[in-house]
Amino acid sequence: MGKKDKKSKTAEQKARVAAKQEKKATQKERKIKSKGGVDSDADDVDLEAVRQEYETRQAQFLKVTESTCEPPSARASATLLGSPSNGKELLLFGGEYFNGALATFYNDLYIYLIDKDEWRLVTSPNSPLPRSGHAWTRSIAGDIYLFGGEFSSPKQGTFYHYNDFWKLDPFSREWMRIETKKGPPARSGHRMTYFKRYIVLFGGFQDTSQQTKYLQDLWLYDTQNFTWCNPVLPPATQKPEPRSSFSLHPHEAGAVLYGGYSRVKAVTHAGKQTKGGGQATRSVLKPMVHQDTWFLRISPPALDLPVTTAPAIRWERRKKPVNSPNPSRAGAGQAYHKGRGIAFGGVHDVEASEEGMESEFFDTLFAWNIERNRCFQLTLRRPRAAAKRQADERVARRGRGKLDEEELLRNLAALETNGSLDTADTVMADEGSEPDVIPMKPAKSRIFTMPHPRFNASLAVQDDVLYIFGGTYEHGDREYTFDEMWAVDLGKLDGVQEIYKRELENWQGSEDESSASGSDDDGFSEDEDMDEETSGGVSLHTAPVTDQPEHKDIPMSDAPDAVDMENAEITVADTRPHPRPFESLRDFFSRTSTMWQDIIIDETRQGDPSHGQSVKELRKFAFDRAETMWWDCREEITALEDEQEEAGIGEVVSLADRSHDGAGAGRRR
């Protein structure tokens, strides 16, 4: 009897468990049907079904619409670009957000109106699916081209890489998918730039469940013939190693590449001895931060060749940039600005022990002068006291002038009503109506330290202003995505302007992760205010400038990878006009316009037909030359200004330039 009772109880228990599981499955199925989608939280989620669901939602939009909205939500690995059609707009697309439990991907297209400080959300029936790690670039004609990217299940169990190619009209906000017979394979982490009529694409990686494959293939898209070409180089030809997350900037003769990240195979000792007494080894993948520089020379086909002829290309290895960031770092945000590559942030990983890897994050801002192959660290500068006093005096003068104007209007109104000047205030009060009250937006804060250290931030330059959007910071096992955007004037470097900033959301990771990092992570405790720094933790507020390693210029004789002496001789023998300390671009051009025009006229006489002969064209070419020189010398001039300010010199003025105002001691008196 005992055995029978035991068997019956076991059967009843199994039946109850089966009924409970069936009930849960039914509830889950109802929940999924109520949402009208697939079970995106399942480990074995069908990515094709998820993508189909997004396509169905996208088809519900009937036309391109643009509406005012709040700033974008927190995200990383998005793309930010200054609009080619409007110098007062920024475009933001895609990105991903990971809260510790689930990953969310976006395909939103946001427009930031700089003058109005306003965000717009664009919806379209035909737009790329949600993704991150994609790349886009403008073309010489003003369109925007996007390729690739990645998408994953919410729990990041499976990945999908895109190989679709899109064109965006920045004026109409309309997307168009470009279908080609042959094109680059799927990837993410690649980079794109433009050269004449071509779109240049290089590198990236493909992530499968078994391995991550880094790529080194080069693709050119002809925007006039609508075809891709994959130039094949001879086997002995040098070319960059496979990599992702590098810098790829345009150049007048092609493109330039710097840095990047990959994982390379390495052999390590396993700690065991073989039967023959030798040391056992094993193959592992180690992270590698590339610091090499390459120049891609592109030679378009001759005019008498068929239009389908591919251009000739050649990779040329350059020396390591002088004064490059130290230590080396990966994941730095990149943007191009007037012959310079602008980089912010990054992370440097150090294999500390078997427990894991220690990471150091950076908040430094660098400018890489492409022609001179030299890096400069950009530091913020507080407004000069003399300039502030002059501004205050101008405001005071304007205030006095406004008061005098109001008094004059009151007197005129009193005389027109046959009254006396004593009744002017009463007349104006009777005639005047209640003025319209225009709501003023709260003033944006300005700080004089760079934003919190991070990596994978999105950068863009528009009208000489650098914009920094989002980014990621890791602390312990937690990953924080910043929900903010900042602006830095690259000409003045007078602080960092806040565009918007929201508090970070709580981490939704497992309890094991929280407890593992909670012992030494008091600053990130969810129960404490993240705005305050605690003695044992770290605050994600904008931190004061930390002691970073000094980046001093290495003398040419001491630097193993310094620039060639030929370049140094050219710099010494340069007789072109150079800007002076505290001289704005407008003042520099006003002072040197005639000299630049003489240089262009001399070049034209020597047989260079590239410049026009009209006065308007001549002045335009002169301004282009002056602007290039002003930005090319910006870092050295800034250093001179800092030295002179420390010595008490506020501004250097040449009396010869002001001879028309009178010169000598009499003028100074």
Side-chain angles (χ1 to χ4, degrees), residues 280-339:
T281 60
R282 61 189 179 94
S283 179
V284 297
L285 290 176
K286 286 192 173 182
M288 178 179 181
V289 178
H290 300 268
Q291 294 183 281
D292 51 348
T293 307
W294 295 81
F295 173 60
L296 176 63
R297 187 176 300 278
I298 305 176
S299 302
L303 298 177
D304 56 347
L305 294 177
V307 294
T308 57
T309 305
I313 66 107
R314 184 174 75 252
W315 284 106
E316 300 175 1
R317 187 177 186 122
R318 299 177 65 183
K319 295 183 178 181
K320 178 183 175 182
V322 179
N323 197 30
S324 58
N326 185 28
S328 59
R329 58 203 65 179
Q334 301 285 341
Y336 177 76
H337 175 244
K338 299 186 185 304

Side-chain angles (χ1 to χ4, degrees), residues 20-241:
K20 191 174 182 180
Q21 290 178 349
E22 184 179 358
K23 183 179 179 180
K24 285 185 177 180
T26 304
Q27 291 177 350
K28 190 174 185 180
E29 185 178 357
R30 290 176 180 175
K31 184 178 180 181
I32 295 170
K33 289 182 178 179
S34 65
K35 290 184 177 181
V38 296
D39 181 15
S40 59
D41 292 344
D43 292 332
D44 57 346
V45 61
D46 185 1
L47 289 185
E48 288 297 331
V50 176
R51 293 177 60 246
Q52 186 65 36
E53 180 185 352
Y54 277 114
E55 289 179 355
T56 304
R57 295 179 186 175
Q58 201 72 39
Q60 296 176 359
F61 299 108
L62 301 178
K63 61 179 180 178
V64 177
T65 61
E66 184 174 328
S67 57
T68 305
C69 64
E70 294 295 319
S73 59
R75 61 193 67 190
S77 300
T79 48
L80 185 69
L81 183 68
S83 174
S85 64
N86 190 331
K88 299 299 181 182
E89 291 182 352
L90 294 175
L91 291 87
L92 176 75
F93 177 78
E96 66 174 295
Y97 175 72
F98 182 64
N99 64 357
L102 302 176
T104 305
F105 290 79
Y106 302 95
N107 69 334
D108 305 323
L109 176 61
Y110 285 93
I111 311 294
Y112 177 61
L113 307 181
I114 299 175
D115 286 348
K116 299 181 179 180
D117 187 25
E118 183 177 288
W119 288 91
R120 301 281 182 86
L121 177 62
V122 178
T123 58
S124 172
N126 184 35
S127 66
L129 295 178
R131 67 192 66 200
S132 70
H134 52 282
W136 69 0
T137 183
R138 59 161 297 173
S139 68
I140 199 69
D143 295 316
I144 298 175
Y145 290 85
L146 180 147
F147 181 85
E150 66 182 50
F151 178 76
S152 79
S153 59
K155 293 185 179 180
Q156 297 184 324
T158 54
F159 282 86
Y160 180 89
H161 288 273
Y162 292 100
N163 67 340
D164 50 352
F165 190 43
W166 296 81
K167 184 175 79 169
L168 172 66
D169 185 341
F171 182 77
S172 65
R173 327 293 200 202
E174 187 173 357
W175 288 98
M176 183 183 72
R177 181 166 181 171
I178 302 176
E179 301 286 353
T180 56
K181 294 182 180 180
K182 178 186 176 183
R187 69 190 67 201
S188 60
H190 52 290
R191 295 293 182 265
M192 297 169 64
T193 188
Y194 63 94
F195 169 72
K196 294 188 176 179
R197 72 188 199 199
Y198 300 103
I199 300 297
V200 184
L201 184 150
F202 178 79
F205 67 91
Q206 294 174 338
D207 195 354
T208 62
S209 57
Q210 289 81 17
Q211 64 176 353
T212 300
K213 179 183 178 182
Y214 289 89
L215 307 173
Q216 61 176 154
D217 52 342
L218 173 69
W219 292 82
L220 301 179
Y221 178 75
D222 191 332
T223 58
Q224 294 182 3
N225 297 318
F226 314 108
T227 56
W228 282 101
C229 70
N230 176 214
V232 179
L233 301 176
T237 305
Q238 283 190 339
K239 60 181 179 180
E241 297 175 336

Side-chain angles (χ1 to χ4, degrees), residues 470-482:
T472 306
Y473 178 78
E474 296 175 355
H475 191 78
D477 292 331
R478 299 187 178 188
E479 180 180 299
Y480 296 91
T481 303
F482 291 95

